[in-house]
Amino acid sequence: MQVEVDESKCIAAGQCVLSAPEVFDQRDEDGIVVLLAERPGAELHDVVREAAGLCPAAAIRLAELVEG
């Protein structure tokens, strides 16, 4: 899984941090999302999908990677 965030869309709601704190954080000064792990481990995929689904601004994009 590849995770990308669009900081220009982020409205600092923090739902991603609540759902997957291992992958997302927020900047102290404005609350904008900070991506901690572009390729989280498989054990985190479900919570990352949940975080992306909860984002009210659709600022999180996911791409599934085919492992070979």
Side-chain angles (χ1 to χ4, degrees):
M1 170 184 282
Q2 175 77 37
V3 182
E4 296 177 3
V5 297
D6 185 341
E7 292 181 6
S8 67
K9 288 184 173 180
C10 181
I11 60 170
Q15 296 301 309
C16 57
V17 179
L18 293 173
S19 298
E22 303 88 349
V23 179
F24 303 101
D25 198 357
Q26 292 177 279
R27 294 192 305 226
D28 290 337
E29 61 271 19
D30 58 10
I32 298 298
V33 65
V34 174
L35 182 60
L36 300 176
E38 292 181 14
R39 293 187 179 192
E43 72 280 3
L44 297 172
H45 289 184
D46 286 344
V47 293
V48 172
R49 287 186 193 101
E50 179 181 348
L54 291 171
C55 179
I60 300 170
R61 290 187 304 259
L62 306 178
E64 300 294 333
L65 302 176
V66 177
E67 301 294 329

